[in-house]
Amino acid sequence: MKNFVVRKVAVLGAGVMGAQIAAHCVNAKVPVVLFDLPDTTGPVKNGIVLRAIENLKKLNPAPLGNKDDAIHIQPANYEENLELLRGCDVIIEAIAERMDWKHDLYRKVAPFVSDNAIFASNTSGLPIARLAEAMDDALKSRFCGVHFFNPPRYMHLVELIPTPATRPEILDDLETFLTSTLGKGVVRAKDTPNFIANRVGIFGMLATIKEAEKYGLSFEVVDDLTGVRLGRAKSATFRTADVVGLDTMAHVIKTMQDTLPASIDPFAQHFATPPVLKALVDKGALGQKSGAGFYRKDGKAIKVLDAAKGGYVESSGKADDLVARIMKKKDPAERLKLLRESDHPQAKFLWAIFRDAFHYIAVHLESIADTARDVDFALRWGFGWSTGPFETWQAAGWKQVTEWVKADIDAGEALSEAPLPKWVFDGPVAKANGVHTKEGSWSPSRKQFVARSTLPVYARQIFRAPLLGEGAATGATGGTPAFEDDSVRVWTLESSKGASDGSDVLILSIKTKVHAIGPGVIAGLLRAVDLAESQYRGLVIWSPDDPFSVGADLQAMMPVFMSGGAAAIDVEEKKMQDAWMRIKYAQVPVVTAVSGMALGGACELIVHSSKTVASLESYIGLVEVGVGLIPGAGGLKEGALRGAQAAQAAGMTDVFPFIKNWFLNAAMANVSKSALEAQQMGYLRATDTIVFNNHELLWTAINAASSMHAGGYRPPLRPTAFPVAGRTGVATIKAQLVNMRDGGFISQHDFYLASGIANVMCGGDVEATAQADEQWLLDLERKFFTELVNHPKSQERMMGMMQTGKPVRN
């Protein structure tokens, strides 16, 4: 086996997609050369690229996990810098979707592409084989299509499209790089117009517009019906179009019109650009990037387009209660049956878009994808569907849904008269009652169920993305339980799962709602640490779904407070402090495997662990001031201790500069926007590991714990005493807080909370030269925390959060 090492990437084209692909590469610590045309309007030839790099720092959502990493994007232009291509292992072309422009660029750069480099075109639908026509045979063999979805940092899907000349190992190497280094879900698509996700997804949007017109539904009603109620992205249909860009959507539709005549696609009559979309594009209302599209933001209000009047009106439409109740039914078969049988126009609309999707994917599966799995993952990862269309069909009862779709086709209710293919009714699929089985997913071209890829990179994914019908073990059900209750599941892997000595590492998963930490979780963690110390190489704290944890369980604390008051809360908070200290000084490594939110007490758990393995998309912070409290489980103590250690390492006696940022982040309830930013904030250490593919998180964490044990792990020695900033540090912070309060930037209660945080982190009312130990600071934390539980303003914040889920600023 040889390793394909990517030392540097070149991106050709500094437009929206090119610049953001470059940004995501540097997120993954891959240096990038970003090319564009020479700037003829300014003094610097690389002006176009330099402006694109600066713009990356301003965009929201942020393409860069850490804005400072923009320095690792090297600007270049095609006139002066083509020699830089020789040092690049992967070259991604991402210029405008013009075949002639791409061909011209390929001819220009080809002499500078190294003999072993992979060359890929990022295109949303241009034919890859035709793009390759501008290349010689040697470069053709290393060329393929690669379709990132926008925005590249956040969208999981990348479609990989070969040409007949592409060498298989090129695809394998690129898939490995995309999967592990960039953290993507790769689907291999056939070289057909718009590939898989856009082909099915844009058809679905066109069908949705068509059916909405038929049943007289407004844009905001359609979005309420086709968003989270349907298990799809919150942006639903028309908001998604606004986010993607209406010009982009129009371009993809035009590609379908130009390349999919009725002789190829029996649904072609419905590929006309909707008049409302054309009108918006013609007047420059391109969606979010232009400030208006199907929706427009007026101040704080979001208004929706009234197509009949041509203006924007207050958004008020939503799903009818009857239809909303149907959509809450847990049984997919019952849901579809009720929608189909209802006379309510919203219900009829929903059945229609389900039927249209099932009809389209069945007719086109063989031409656009190798297996049904590719279609489901493409829609899940590219359009934010929680369940793919084939999964939904199968879960609702394959044979029954098939009969319903056929009946609508026969009755002329469907969008096309094209019959369902024979494999839907007869043979292995009908016998298995679906396209997904333990043996694999159905491939019409191969006429068999095809197992998943066995590329070595997937050995890092202990639990791969699940598919309904496969019946494979998941992170919630797999492994061998050690013990389990309502709060935690503690278990181990079978040794055959592929992680090095994975069965020798204990795993704890929190089971509570949003993985909130209550007394049951703390008891389970302590029991797991005891068990790990006696029988295992380490303990990994990981949950199979996001978030990692939203922190302490306020609801669970209410009965404790009602029965015993603040004194009872003090007892519970002491238990939490002791638990995190037990984890910090455990005799085996305790590794936290973090993805999604890790707030409050969960952040405090992380900073006490031996090591953290975090997904890039980890949002970590001490947010207790939002509920009228302060971090009370050692988060402030740990910040003070780390500040003292940093000051000592720098040879300084003044610790205040080293605790200032930790104080500010806690006092302002700042949450990292990525794991990279969490590292910058100090919540993750420089020695912690950041992974880009969530499915590799557990594998990496288990191997980290095992290797730490193999290296002779010993817990840190307890510091006997360390310097604190004392009352001088408190006074310095309070002086700044007074200005913020008097200037109206913070409330009086914010001032009180921040002063308490300062008092704890500086060691209380002691001299600036004083020494403290961990327990002294923990006691200070707990004392003020308990006082706040009785404070009316803090109680208002706690009740507000529990009732609305939003912070109260009082």
Side-chain angles (χ1 to χ4, degrees):
M1 184 185 93
K2 68 175 181 68
N3 290 329
F4 176 66
V5 178
V6 180
R7 297 172 181 83
K8 187 176 286 188
V9 168
V11 178
L12 311 182
V16 173
M17 285 301 290
Q20 293 199 47
I21 291 169
H24 192 58
C25 286
V26 297
N27 285 338
K29 300 294 184 284
V30 179
V32 178
V33 184
L34 180 60
F35 282 84
D36 212 300
L37 296 167
D39 188 356
T40 58
T41 62
V44 181
K45 283 281 183 77
N46 289 328
I48 293 173
V49 177
L50 289 169
R51 289 192 293 273
I53 294 171
E54 281 303 305
N55 191 52
L56 288 172
K57 303 174 186 177
K58 304 171 187 175
L59 292 177
N60 187 28
L64 290 160
N66 180 352
K67 291 180 181 179
D68 293 342
D69 284 343
I71 196 171
H72 299 295
I73 303 176
Q74 181 178 357
N77 66 80
Y78 304 125
E79 185 176 295
E80 300 175 317
N81 307 122
L82 287 178
E83 284 289 339
L84 293 174
L85 288 173
R86 299 190 192 277
C88 296
D89 303 295
V90 173
I91 299 168
I92 300 172
E93 170 270 305
I95 67 170
E97 296 281 77
R98 283 274 301 267
M99 183 76 69
D100 54 342
W101 291 359
K102 289 178 185 279
H103 278 173
D104 288 344
L105 181 60
Y106 297 168
R107 295 185 185 100
K108 188 180 190 71
V109 303
F112 302 92
V113 177
S114 72
D115 293 341
N116 297 312
I118 294 175
F119 196 122
S121 173
N122 182 69
T123 173
S124 61
L126 291 179
I128 306 304
R130 281 194 57 201
L131 287 173
E133 289 174 359
M135 300 175 177
D136 62 24
D137 290 343
L139 190 52
K140 274 184 185 177
S141 70
R142 292 179 280 117
F143 176 75
C144 63
V146 58
H147 181 204
F148 285 84
F149 273 62
N150 189 25
R153 169 182 162 184
Y154 301 94
M155 297 304 294
H156 192 53
L157 178 66
V158 170
E159 292 175 312
L160 198 56
I161 312 100
T163 75
T166 309
R167 297 203 314 264
E169 62 268 25
I170 292 297
L171 296 172
D172 291 349
D173 286 343
L174 189 52
E175 181 168 349
T176 297
F177 171 71
L178 292 167
T179 299
S180 194
T181 305
L182 298 189
K184 298 304 174 185
V186 175
V187 167
R188 295 199 186 188
K190 294 186 178 181
D191 191 7
T192 55
N194 291 339
F195 314 129
I196 299 174
N198 274 346
R199 175 77 174 271
V200 177
I202 296 298
F203 165 78
M205 295 180 82
L206 290 171
T208 297
I209 294 171
K210 187 82 174 177
E211 302 292 1
E213 290 175 353
K214 179 178 178 180
Y215 292 105
L217 305 183
S218 63
F219 300 128
E220 75 268 34
V221 169
V222 169
D223 276 355
D224 191 46
L225 289 168
T226 60
V228 292
R229 297 183 192 276
L230 218 58
R232 298 182 184 176
K234 186 178 181 180
S235 55
T237 301
F238 296 106
R239 286 185 191 276
T240 295
D242 275 359
V243 171
V244 170
L246 302 190
D247 53 340
T248 301
M249 183 178 173
H251 170 77
V252 176
I253 293 171
K254 181 68 164 55
T255 301
M256 296 176 79
Q257 294 169 4
D258 294 344
T259 57
L260 295 170
S263 59
I264 296 175
D265 194 320
F267 296 81
Q269 62 178 308
H270 303 294
F271 295 162
T273 304
V276 63
L277 178 63
K278 184 178 186 303
L280 287 169
V281 173
D282 287 347
K283 68 178 183 180
L286 306 180
Q288 186 171 281
K289 60 188 173 185
S290 66
F294 288 106
Y295 294 89
R296 187 181 72 192
K297 189 172 183 179
D298 283 356
K300 293 185 177 180
I302 302 293
K303 294 188 175 181
V304 64
L305 178 68
D306 183 327
K309 297 179 180 178
Y312 292 87
V313 298
E314 295 290 336
S315 177
S316 59
K318 62 177 183 177
D320 184 85
D321 288 343
L322 169 67
V323 178
R325 287 197 298 273
I326 292 174
M327 294 307 294
K328 287 181 179 178
K329 299 287 183 182
K330 291 185 178 180
D331 181 10
E334 184 181 8
R335 276 202 308 273
L336 285 190
K337 183 175 185 293
L338 290 172
L339 290 174
R340 187 172 187 271
E341 293 176 350
S342 174
D343 290 328
H344 196 291
Q346 292 182 12
K348 294 171 79 69
F349 160 78
L350 284 171
W351 160 250
I353 63 172
F354 274 118
R355 176 206 62 219
D356 297 340
F358 298 153
H359 191 187
Y360 195 79
I361 60 176
V363 168
H364 290 296
L365 174 59
E366 183 169 2
S367 64
I368 66 173
D370 185 32
T371 72
R373 176 175 54 246
D374 299 323
V375 172
D376 279 343
F377 280 152
L379 271 295
R380 279 167 52 177
W381 296 341
F383 279 78
W385 294 16
S386 61
T387 308
F390 278 118
E391 289 179 287
T392 300
W393 185 348
Q394 184 164 335
W398 184 266
K399 292 178 181 177
Q400 179 61 78
V401 173
T402 298
E403 290 174 7
W404 288 339
V405 175
K406 182 179 184 303
D408 278 13
I409 296 170
D410 293 344
E413 293 291 328
L415 294 183
S416 169
E417 296 178 354
L420 293 171
K422 191 170 183 292
W423 61 261
V424 173
F425 300 97
D426 301 317
V429 170
K431 187 176 180 180
N433 287 312
V435 291
H436 302 307
T437 69
K438 290 181 179 179
E439 291 73 37
S441 296
W442 182 249
S443 171
S445 59
R446 302 196 211 182
K447 296 181 171 54
Q448 64 182 28
F449 294 105
V450 176
R452 295 202 191 196
S453 170
T454 57
L455 278 178
V457 69
Y458 292 113
R460 300 171 62 90
Q461 299 186 13
I462 295 171
F463 300 106
R464 295 173 72 169
L467 272 174
L468 289 175
E470 272 192 340
T474 68
T477 61
T480 303
F483 65 87
E484 184 172 5
D485 57 27
D486 291 339
S487 298
V488 298
R489 178 174 182 257
V490 179
W491 52 287
T492 59
L493 291 176
E494 294 91 352
S495 58
S496 61
K497 283 294 183 181
S500 176
D501 292 322
S503 60
D504 292 330
V505 173
L506 199 62
I507 305 162
L508 181 142
S509 300
I510 302 173
K511 292 173 56 180
T512 55
K513 185 177 181 181
V514 293
H515 305 144
I517 301 168
V521 173
I522 292 171
L525 279 164
L526 290 172
R527 184 178 170 189
V529 173
D530 289 342
L531 184 59
E533 284 183 335
S534 64
Q535 298 181 33
Y536 295 91
R537 293 183 173 220
L539 172 65
V540 168
I541 302 171
W542 170 82
S543 290
D545 56 344
D546 291 347
F548 175 72
S549 171
V550 297
D553 189 346
L554 288 178
Q555 296 283 1
M557 290 297 102
M558 284 301 294
V560 176
F561 179 73
M562 296 302 291
S563 64
I569 296 295
D570 181 76
V571 171
E572 294 302 320
E573 195 65 15
K574 178 70 162 60
K575 289 179 182 178
M576 197 170 183
Q577 288 183 342
D578 291 346
W580 289 182
M581 291 291 280
R582 174 80 175 92
I583 284 169
K584 180 175 181 178
Y585 294 110
Q587 296 302 306
V588 293
V590 178
V591 177
T592 43
V594 178
S595 178
M597 290 185 293
L599 308 178
C603 176
E604 291 174 300
L605 169 60
I606 289 168
V607 299
H608 284 85
S609 65
S610 313
K611 182 181 178 68
T612 297
V613 176
S615 164
L616 174 68
E617 302 308 331
S618 294
Y619 313 114
I620 303 171
L622 297 170
V623 297
E624 285 83 354
V625 296
V627 291
L629 300 171
I630 68 165
L636 302 182
K637 175 271 299 181
E638 198 64 20
L641 173 58
R642 293 187 185 185
Q645 291 170 337
Q648 183 180 24
M652 295 177 63
T653 56
D654 182 8
V655 301
F656 182 77
F658 297 91
I659 66 169
K660 183 179 177 181
N661 285 341
W662 197 288
F663 161 77
L664 287 172
N665 286 324
M668 302 301 292
N670 291 331
V671 177
S672 73
K673 298 179 180 65
S674 70
L676 294 168
E677 188 177 37
Q679 229 166 16
Q680 201 174 36
M681 294 166 72
Y683 294 143
L684 295 181
R685 293 153 290 205
T687 53
D688 288 332
T689 300
I690 298 173
V691 300
F692 279 63
N693 196 314
N694 264 11
H695 295 293
E696 296 183 2
L697 191 63
L698 180 59
W699 183 93
T700 307
I702 288 172
N703 278 278
S706 186
S707 63
M708 290 169 75
H709 182 277
Y713 175 79
R714 293 292 302 163
L717 293 172
R718 291 176 184 260
T720 54
F722 51 89
V724 291
R727 63 176 70 96
T728 303
V730 176
T732 302
I733 292 173
K734 277 192 170 182
Q736 296 174 355
L737 292 174
V738 166
N739 291 333
M740 294 178 70
R741 181 196 62 194
D742 294 348
F745 297 103
I746 60 174
S747 70
Q748 177 60 36
H749 196 52
D750 290 327
F751 175 85
Y752 181 61
L753 292 167
S755 298
I757 293 173
N759 191 61
V760 172
M761 290 198 69
C762 293
D765 188 18
V766 297
E767 296 292 337
T769 56
Q771 301 271 315
D773 62 15
E774 288 184 280
Q775 193 58 53
W776 173 263
L777 292 180
L778 288 171
D779 291 343
L780 283 176
E781 269 188 6
R782 202 172 66 257
K783 180 178 182 293
F784 191 52
F785 183 95
T786 306
E787 288 176 7
L788 288 169
V789 170
N790 272 332
H791 197 294
K793 291 287 187 182
S794 288
Q795 290 176 354
E796 285 177 14
R797 292 195 181 191
M798 284 184 273
M799 292 305 297
M801 178 61 72
M802 286 189 285
Q803 290 170 358
T804 68
K806 297 178 181 179
V808 174
R809 289 298 180 193
N810 54 359

